[in-house]
Amino acid sequence: MQRGGAYLSLCVTSCAGVQNAFGGQGAEDANFVRLFAVFMVVCTVMYLIVSAALVIAVWRRRQATLTIEDRKHHETSAATRPALIVWTVLIAVGLVGLTIASFFTDRSNAANGSKPRLSLTVTANQWWWDVEYNSPDASKIVRTANEIHLPVGVPAQVTLKSNDVIHSFWIPNLAGKQDLIPGRVTDAQLLPRKTGLFRGQCAEFCGVQHAQMALDVTVESKAAFDRWYAAQLQPGRPPANPLQLAGYRYVTTRECSSCHNISGTPAGGHVAPDLTHFASRRSIAAGALPMNRGNLYGWVADPQSQKPGNHMPTVGLAANDLHAIVAYLEALK
Amino acid sequence: MPGKDYASTRFSGLRQLTPQNVGDLQVAFTFSTGTTEGFEAPPLVVNKTMYVIAPWPNNVFALDLTKPGAPAKWTYEPKPAAAAKGVACCGPVNRGAFYSDGRLFLNLLDGNTVAVDANSGKELWRTKVADINKGETLTMAPLVADGKVLVGNSGGEMGVRGWLTALDATSGKLAWRAYSTGPDKDALIGSDYRAPYPQDQGNDLGVRSWGPDQWKIGGGTVWGWLSYDPELKLVYYGTGNPGPWNAEQRPGDNKWTAGIFARDVATGHARWFHQSTPHDLFDHDDINESILVDWPAPNGQRIPALIRPSRNGYLYIQDRRNGRILSADPYGYINAYNGVDLKTGRIIPVPEKEPKEGRVVRNICPGPPGAKDWNPSAFSPVTGLVYIPHLNICMDMGIKNANYIPGTPFVGADVKMYPGPGGNRGVFTAWDPVARRKVFEIKEDLPLWSPALATGGGLVFYGTMDGWFKAIDARSGKLLWQFKTGSGIIGQPISYRGPDGRQYIAVPSGVGGWAGAIVSADLDERDPTAALGFVNAMKDLKKRTTKGGTVYVFALPK
Amino acid sequence: MSLRCPNSVLALAMIAALCSCDREERQTRGKPLGETIPTVASPDTIFPGRATPPPLDPRAAQYEGNASAIAEGQRLYNWMNCAGCHFHGGGGMGVALMDDKWRYGGRIDQIAASILEGRPNGMPAWRGKLTEQQIWQLAAYVRTLSGQERKDAVSARADEVSNTPPQTQTKREPLRPADSDQQ
Amino acid sequence: MTPAERAKQPPAKVPRDGPKLTGPKLEEKLAETWSNPPGFIGWLSSVDHKDIGRRYVITALIFLALAGALAVVMRLQLSKPDNDLIGAARYNEIFTMHGTTMMFLFAVPVMQGMQIYLTPLMIGTRSNAFPRLNAFSYWTYLAGGCLLWVAFILNIAPDIGWFAYPPLSGPQFGVGKRADIWAQMVTFTEVAALAAAVSLTATILKQRAPGMSLARMPIFVWATLVTSLMVIFSMPSVALASSLLLSDRLVGTHFYNPAENGDALLWQHLFWFFGHPEVYIIFLPATGFVSEIVATFSRRTIVMYPIVVMSLVATGILAFGLWVHHMFATGLPRIGYSFYTAASMSVSIPTGLQIFCWIATLWEGRPRLQVPLLYVIGFIFTFVIGGLTGVIIAAVPLDLQLHDTYFIVAHFHYVLIGGAVFPLLGAITYWYPKATGRMMSETLGKVSFWMIFLGFQLAFFPMHIAGINGMPRRVYSYPAGMGLELPNLLSSIGSMVVAVAVLLFVINMVVSLRGGLKAAPNPWGAPSLEWATSCPPPKYNFPHIPVVDSRTPLWDAGEKMSVVHGLRVEERELLLTTVMHAKPDLREPSAEPSIWPFIATLATTVMFVSSIFSPWAVVIGAMPVIIALTAWFWPKSPAPEREPVIS
């Protein structure tokens, strides 16, 4: 019956992992782990008390009992009233303590996010994330999809919007989740403490592909972040060889350009992920497949079989078009 | 020329018609162009010939005024590409041609500018300046000055990049092209550019005031009116709205859109620019006409100024040498702006009227066509008043994510327009630019989409969208005479001296344009957002007028 | 007693199963290459030699009255800027789609052909810019604007500024071939 | 003798139960008066609370089995990463059906079914206050259940989650008629629940046996009273929410359309204002079961009866004050959240007191470890873990991490299965002899208890770990390499064990129907009134209405329990007593069995289902409903004149 003990040890061991609330790499998540430990201790103690009382109550040897057999079924022994008072005080004190602890943790979370030095806007769509880095100089705005790069130690303010249904922006290793609600603008604060590669996922049921709507989070040093940001500002790389040129010609004139945008090319679609620096990302289709040539072929040829029901149609490409497109997309570093 | 003169006063000096005798005006003759689209172009009368410029398919007719009934001498049929109608946002219209030393210059809807010999009707040259596959069309009336034909494109709703192009009048070859967005070398902004206010001064503002690459599809089209000052050799024109209408999708001031350029006509270099509506939220292009007059300043000396009743509802009077604002007063009902700060020249927006994605914002006045759309006002030096035929329309606006596909509309907004306070959709205002106040105002039920004409005899002519052609007293605004034409009037009335010396008044009558689209394109009034929201305000137009395409010419009986 | 009643319910369910289970079938797989829209979906209504009009394309049944195809069509109608010209059926630059005038035919395959090949007075051709499945879905949605599709497959409104009366209540317009009055 | 002639008899001549008319002769007359009309029509028109209660419980258990099967299918799909046993769309349908069926078609109805069956027996009366309303309530509930499951068979099952958040359930993203069917099913079930709750409240307040003052009422009846009042206050909120959704989807109103200044959060507030009281509506009757079972098997009354009753009422009231803890992640102001954290914490205090009283009762008495008590012990062990995880997720910073993850799935399965299903199984074992006259087998009972208890821990404890490892709710698959494989596999195995255990329990119920030991009227030696009559109780429950003078009538009065005389015999008549002290007050004629409630349900079903397709159906469909209702309330026998009661 030592539920509490096993419970605590199991959690601590399995706290590695890319998407884990016990990662503790973000300020808010570190607060979460500390508060969670405090709650666990108090709850385990309460649980042990109750279990012990129950076990003893059921299996203890007893002589005089106040039961119907001895016609004393209405009486109660003198000790029950003080025991009840002690028990009520114990519960009240425990709960008030926990409430105060949670209140102070909430205040420290709010303090962490109060002076942001980086501002993003994440707009959730049905089953992918549209990420924009805002900057006072409008022409320095970077637009990417399904990935977020954060400089370590810099508090970031993430403005959350949704184009269709309610989603939830959740990167367990950094911070708690916040919903993205159409018609409303909510915000989340991220303050990464340690560098690393993490993964966030949509946590509010948002339709048929809710399960495959993840985003890759990379926390890196300030210098690495600035290099990445500068690279993202460049337009899409022009095709280098004839195969890439054929791919470029297909992507920027046929079905792809109706939805996708590649800066520096006539493809200007605004309703699907921005592909300008597609090859520099870690995964395809909002975390559905890791980024490699095989998955790229599989995805472009028939997206409906990888992520059935999503809004990218199966175009039914001829073999040479497929090779050309994949060659061109792989060059979009 | 359409504006009667380079200063676009639309004032005819003839004095035969006076408030006393205008009562017995009667029809002298009529001419039907055989088209049913919006008939906006004014007929041009040059040495006893009236040139009638029809809307789609842009036919030109030369009528011999010497013969009774003015039969057509020749007809010029340019046959523009039909696909252009698919990218003409507000009706396949044409706002007029320009006559200059024996040639007629006009724009065709499919992006060609043509020169036609005035007496034979033979096409001299045809230059392709705009590409309909990108959504560009030509609807504006060209202006010929200093041997150059100045042409601007339209397609602000199609994600087009606006420009003003100068073609050589004789050969039609491209002289220079000034873009409304993009780097300074594209916008021909050089060393001699001095902006009246600091926020319009800076290098490559046309790129830095846009999101990355958004200036390439940023609008700023030049589809309105040009004015030319021969002494200063400057051409004044306004740039259209930034694209798309969804302002959240294009952060920044979106430089050189919705503002007034003054350019040197020979080289095209900009002399000054003032942005009347930075980061425009409600499609308030600033293409309206600039009337060039000398304005008596309070300290007595006369400043060469330009008067412009802008679409955002303020009547700007600016010094046309350097663009400084002398006065900016509202001439219509406005609740979307809090005025213009004369020190910084910047308009003061009202925060809660700013549309947000995913939420409708209600009761925004003036609506997208603004307090006055493209139909130009007239200035009468006799009374010193500006006669403004304008609108009283408000709207509900909801913006959404706009997807850019070249050749398709790039708007990103759901709009519903409805009459503003007072319930009347049109207002005819006489404005005293010196005293900066309204002298008189006539409330019209339907929006006023027809330009005004002032005459030396103290009369002002304008037409209503259900076909009434009205003459009012220039001083008191009293209605003196009106005539019911066959279709709604959205064209420019003109006045000319006929071969027999009498004063004739001609007016094109053919409903259409953005306001009349419900009739000219027979739209369905059950969809309030149709035609960018105008159908919601014009549900009754179908019962009050039908399509048409006729020029009516009036004169006093012999 | 309670055992007998579920059997009758199940029997009833089997009969009802046939009629409505395809109304909401989601077809997620697009068709591979080689399947084109039959060019025979001509807008004409006069056939010399008393020939019968061409049969309806077999795939029409898969998209007509299918709720998920109509929903996809509604989304594409906004995404591909059809709303920019035709708005919510009232028209603007484009013709009105909610009235009864169909110059190039109002059947689903004729509408699909109009989208695919474009029409002379300004309708762009979407061949190569949209897949066949998307074009069929758009055609299915366009038919709901004039109330052609069955009322239980359409959505009353979209999450946007209120515009036309709810499609679940629009009456079915007859399909009349309009004369091409404009040049 | 026809009712008309009977009415004209002078009062003295009317046959009444009393010293002269007692024993088998009285029972034979009463049986004839209170019996159902013959044949299938008779079965349909029965208004006997025992029939309706039994049908409620059996139908709810069938739905439990169906939803349980769906749960097993879900666990198979989630047993290994990137599994494609069932596609995404089908999985969404299945988890929606599982959630909706468990919450709306099993949990609330089974509790109300047990309450309808037991309340008249425990308070010593012959029938519920509004018997025909009860019949209507059951048929409407059955119609709602059939609507949902027929839609599932017809492949138009809702796939929007049991909470159906717009805009996903709105007209644009809720494709076809799926969300309408969900919303209409909610309308059905809340009409049924409201009807049952109204009837139970009236029964408890007005029809208690003389002498059974509020202080002497059994605790299960207290729990029934509190839950019925909670149903009456919370169901209208979800009724409003689902009607607004239906009108959005059918006639294009803009309640939840963010673009037209409607708000998606309006739905969440309305839904969770009902949602949280609903989970207490499921939990409080279970505490009633536990109190009864603990009292009987510890051979003594519950320790500190007023404390237990006060905590029942406190839980009922506090439940209405904490619904926003379901919406901690929607960006509402932080100060508001801290109020709801405090409220959510405070609701665990009354439950803590109840647990204290149960353990104190076990401590004072001599517990007999039979199957019902085993389930109570399993309940305490499981529910306390669920309660404590509830305290954890009541804190905002913790909830922001754990909200909508499998940690929450574990929490509510612990409090719902642990907190409600365990006591329910114990209650079914405890009252099975009363309902069927046969005992359930003790050995098979113990085996299925231990299997369900351990299987439950194996199934749902690893979900805490999966939740912390970042597995969101309602995902049809998860990628490998995130530490989710082991917890999910364990959960899947555990769910199989639970499935088998439930199967064993059902077999035990069916086999014992004939093979079980014959049951004496009071096989467990329990103190409350329902054990005073035979197993299974006759149609009229009690030959003479008993008089109660203590909390444990059978233990105190035993055989020589005084009774009331003077109720009519040839007509269905009940004795009404005053609310506070249950002093005899009036005679109340009880409604005759009638087919009209069933026909009224058919009419409402036709109206509700067709109103999914056209708004006019509401207008046209209302006619038959009105006709059915008028026929239902048409007065039969002329109202008897007032008479003095002779005790």
Side-chain angles (χ1 to χ4, degrees), chain C residues 1 9-10 13-14 16-17 20-21 23-26 67-68 71 152 155-162 166 168-169, chain D residues 40 43 89 153-156 159 167 171-173 175-178 248-254 257 259-260 613 615:
Chain C
M1 179 58 70
V9 167
L10 281 180
M14 281 309 130
S20 72
C21 67
R23 190 192 64 229
E24 309 212 352
E25 193 46 49
R26 270 193 195 79
S68 62
D152 55 7
S155 75
R157 63 161 171 80
D159 279 352
E160 57 191 13
V161 174
S162 72
T168 47
Q169 311 302 320
Chain D
F40 180 58
W43 184 78
I153 295 163
L154 299 185
N155 180 18
I156 40 173
D159 55 359
Q172 180 171 359
F173 298 99
V175 175
K177 287 301 172 192
R178 297 171 184 272
D248 257 23
R249 291 179 56 83
L250 191 61
V251 286
T253 49
H254 296 278
N257 177 9
E260 276 287 332
F613 299 98

Side-chain angles (χ1 to χ4, degrees), chain B residues 427-438:
Chain B
V427 185
F428 193 89
T429 304
W431 181 272
D432 182 346
V434 178
R436 291 166 58 180
R437 62 174 181 71
K438 189 179 300 188

Side-chain angles (χ1 to χ4, degrees), chain C residues 27-110:
Chain C
Q27 338 89 8
T28 53
R29 301 300 301 277
K31 296 295 177 294
L33 194 69
E35 180 157 359
T36 56
I37 291 190
T39 50
V40 85
S42 75
D44 257 337
T45 49
I46 303 172
F47 302 94
R50 282 202 301 285
T52 57
L56 192 60
D57 183 298
R59 274 172 310 153
Q62 193 187 357
Y63 292 97
E64 204 143 29
N66 177 296
S68 62
I70 289 171
E72 292 295 311
Q74 182 168 14
R75 183 177 49 76
L76 288 168
Y77 188 82
N78 284 323
W79 279 12
M80 295 305 143
N81 294 335
C82 314
C85 287
H86 299 288
F87 294 94
H88 296 94
M93 279 189 259
V95 293
L97 295 173
M98 67 197 297
D99 57 10
D100 53 9
K101 290 199 282 297
W102 292 93
R103 191 173 309 145
Y104 300 103
R107 263 188 358 197
I108 191 167
D109 53 356
Q110 288 168 330

Side-chain angles (χ1 to χ4, degrees), chain A residues 12 46 52 80 88 131 134 169 173 221-222 242 266 272 274 276 280 285:
Chain A
V12 173
M46 299 295 276
T80 35
T88 322
V131 179
N134 312 326
F169 178 75
N173 293 61
S221 66
K222 187 82 174 76
D274 187 297
T276 316
S280 70

